[in-house]
Amino acid sequence: MNDAAFVPFENHATGDTISPAQFKGLAALIRAHTGINLPPAKRAMLEGRLRRCAREGGHATLGAYCKWILSQEHGGDEIENLINAVTTNKTDFFREPRHFDYLTETILPQLAESGRRQVRCWSAACSTGAEPYTIAMLLDAFAQRNSGFEYSILATDLDTRVLSTAIRGIYPREMVDPVPVPLRKAYVMEAKDPVRGEIRIAPALRRKIAFGRLNLMDRHYAIGEPVDMIFCRNVLIYFDRPTQEAVVNRLCNQLRPGGYLFLGHSESISGFQHNLTAASGTVFQRN
């Protein structure tokens, strides 16, 4: 997810709506599986998102689709499609660039000075892949300048569709405009046919990232050994405060002592019980 946001939906009157009771049931189902809160004001947005699901599933109306998915018999099979429909993943290369400045100017030099030669990073809501590929470019460029430095990146998201895009690593050409020219030359390939207007991340960089599906609502994150850095940006804003605190503490448990957690610039952990110290803005270091 890197920002599992909800894009405002322009509601066109179709006469096909869901009832307040159905909205309440769907909102509870979505929250249980994703932690995302849907207030009543989001009802029109949800209707817009579910019309495609209803149409592709062969349901005559939204009401019929909602009744079907909320039934105990069928709901489980459709949950993944529902989640994919209601989560829109906004992401950009080098989004919130101060985080990447801090990574390259402070964290990586400190790690090198400490003698750490193997760094592991987790992009915990990777969306279509711009965030982990941005991280990979910076880590790889650092590795080129520092012999013996190794890195690996885990990238996860709840939405299976965006993970498919991330794994392919193919994007519209204009999407890499924020990437500095030297990094673009090193890690981005242009389509042979310029009419396609596409680029692809270089194979060597794609191989450095392991992609997988992970739900931040899980009680335990099965990602293996503790990591040096976690990027989980612009996701907490869609959770209520108790859920935010629980997620932050589960993320903290995956960091090695001294590791760093990156949150979105609009996110706060003020008032939470945690084992973190502010390092720079919304960058926190595990005690």
Side-chain angles (χ1 to χ4, degrees):
M1 290 167 31
N2 180 0
D3 200 349
F6 289 87
V7 175
F9 173 74
E10 184 179 354
N11 190 25
H12 300 283
T14 65
D16 187 15
T17 62
I18 60 180
S19 70
Q22 288 174 328
F23 174 80
K24 184 177 180 179
L26 286 170
L29 184 66
I30 292 165
R31 180 177 179 182
H33 283 271
T34 69
I36 295 171
N37 286 316
L38 284 179
K42 294 290 187 180
R43 179 175 161 189
M45 180 280 297
L46 185 61
E47 289 173 345
R49 293 299 177 84
L50 295 187
R51 285 194 177 97
R52 179 179 177 182
C53 293
R55 184 171 60 250
E56 292 179 347
H59 301 279
T61 66
L62 277 178
Y65 171 77
C66 294
K67 182 178 180 180
W68 179 78
I69 195 173
L70 289 170
S71 70
Q72 183 177 3
E73 180 180 358
H74 298 293
D77 296 332
E78 183 65 12
I79 291 298
E80 185 173 306
N81 289 336
L82 174 67
I83 291 171
N84 289 350
V86 300
T87 55
T88 296
N89 297 265
K90 184 187 185 309
T91 187
D92 299 290
F93 288 88
F94 285 86
R95 186 183 184 189
E96 299 184 344
R98 284 180 293 173
H99 282 158
F100 301 111
D101 292 340
Y102 189 76
L103 171 63
T104 55
E105 295 170 7
T106 302
I107 295 178
L108 291 179
Q110 286 179 352
L111 289 172
E113 289 176 10
S114 71
R116 287 189 63 82
R117 311 305 294 168
Q118 177 68 45
V119 171
R120 187 169 183 239
C121 181
W122 177 23
S123 173
C126 71
S127 185
T128 54
E131 179 178 89
Y133 286 128
T134 297
I135 298 166
M137 290 178 192
L138 296 175
L139 295 183
D140 197 79
F142 186 80
Q144 297 297 326
R145 301 190 302 269
N146 294 267
S147 178
F149 180 85
E150 297 288 340
Y151 70 94
S152 61
I153 299 171
L154 171 65
T156 65
D157 202 280
L158 179 62
D159 188 329
T160 54
R161 292 180 305 180
V162 298
L163 282 171
S164 177
T165 298
I167 291 168
R168 293 176 66 224
I170 298 175
Y171 304 99
R173 183 185 291 112
E174 62 270 16
M175 192 169 169
V176 296
D177 286 347
V179 179
V181 172
L183 297 180
R184 211 181 307 168
K185 289 181 177 179
Y187 302 115
V188 175
M189 302 184 302
E190 294 274 353
K192 292 183 179 179
D193 181 1
V195 176
R196 291 173 56 185
E198 292 179 334
I199 61 88
R200 189 170 198 180
I201 303 301
L205 203 69
R206 298 202 310 271
R207 287 194 292 267
K208 298 295 290 189
I209 304 174
F211 289 96
R213 186 175 188 268
L214 185 141
N215 191 340
L216 292 173
M217 292 302 99
D218 292 344
R219 291 185 177 274
H220 174 69
Y221 304 150
I223 67 165
E225 294 297 316
V227 298
D228 297 279
M229 289 172 277
I230 298 175
F231 284 73
C232 186
R233 306 186 300 165
N234 304 302
V235 179
L236 296 182
I237 53 176
Y238 299 102
F239 303 153
D240 61 23
R241 293 287 287 177
T243 303
Q244 290 176 353
E245 184 170 4
V247 170
V248 165
N249 279 285
R250 288 196 291 267
L251 292 171
C252 187
N253 289 338
Q254 300 300 323
L255 280 172
R256 67 166 183 82
Y260 292 88
L261 172 64
F262 292 76
L263 300 178
H265 287 333
S266 63
E267 294 173 322
S268 171
I269 60 173
S270 176
F272 292 172
Q273 295 291 324
H274 55 70
N275 192 26
L276 297 165
T277 299
S280 174
T282 50
V283 182
F284 303 88
Q285 189 170 22
R286 180 175 174 179
N287 297 326

